[in-house]
């Protein structure tokens, strides 16, 4: 059973960098051929795929967020991380990590519980 847990600050100030970590258990983030995604849901809106990191370490980003987004990983800890720079209140959302991603119609078979991140001064 794969489990994912998001962690990081729940409050970030405008202009700062949002940093979240997804800790994976029950499966390795290096296992062929899985992808690991970050997805967010602003209040009252739908899910927005932000980006993903592949089993190989290759990264993929939503065009709308690419300039501000960086996804990396620490294979020794079985973790992958999200950094979103220059945040504004519009980045307030519940942030999820999940297994799956990149292509349209992808299935996210495992999800973290989600973590609320509020951007406010």
């Amino acid at each position: 059973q794969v489990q994912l847990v998001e962690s990081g600050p729940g409050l970030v100030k405008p202009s700062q960098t949002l940093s979240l970590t997804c800790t994976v258990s029950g499966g390795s983030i290096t296992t062929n051929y899985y992808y690991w995604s970050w997805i967010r849901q602003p209040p009252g809106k739908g899910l927005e795929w932000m980006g993903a990191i592949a089993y190989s370490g290759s990264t993929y980003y939503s065009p709308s967020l690419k300039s501000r987004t960086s996804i990396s990983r620490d294979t020794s800890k079985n973790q992958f991380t999200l950094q979103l720079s220059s945040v504004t209140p519009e980045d307030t959302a519940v942030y999820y990590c999940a297994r799956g991603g990149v292509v349209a119609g992808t299935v996210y078979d495992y999800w973290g519980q989600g973590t609320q991140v509020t951007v406010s001064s």
Side-chain angles (χ1 to χ4, degrees), residues 34-114:
Y34 290 108
Y35 291 72
W36 306 85
S37 286
W38 286 101
I39 301 152
R40 68 180 182 179
Q41 186 168 36
K45 299 182 180 179
L47 297 168
E48 178 185 20
W49 178 78
M50 302 181 68
I53 188 163
Y55 60 96
S56 62
S58 297
T59 53
Y60 308 85
Y61 301 104
S62 169
S64 65
L65 296 170
K66 180 178 176 63
S67 66
R68 298 194 292 133
T69 305
S70 179
I71 297 171
S72 58
R73 67 181 183 175
D74 184 338
T75 58
S76 70
K77 297 180 179 179
N78 212 35
Q79 295 177 329
F80 63 104
T81 62
L82 170 72
Q83 292 189 295
L84 182 67
S85 66
S86 303
V87 299
T88 74
E90 297 302 310
D91 294 310
T92 294
V94 177
Y95 286 75
Y96 300 92
C97 55
R99 189 171 77 173
V102 182
V103 299
T106 190
V107 174
Y108 302 99
D109 54 354
Y110 292 97
W111 293 71
Q113 80 285 355

Side-chain angles (χ1 to χ4, degrees), residues 8-48:
L11 181 65
V12 183
K13 291 181 171 63
S15 83
Q16 293 186 333
T17 296
L18 181 160
S19 296
L20 296 173
T21 297
C22 184
T23 300
V24 179
S25 61
S28 174
I29 61 174
T30 65
T31 296
N32 298 354
Y33 295 95
Y34 290 108
Y35 291 72
W36 306 85
S37 286
W38 286 101
I39 301 152
R40 68 180 182 179
Q41 186 168 36
K45 299 182 180 179
L47 297 168
E48 178 185 20

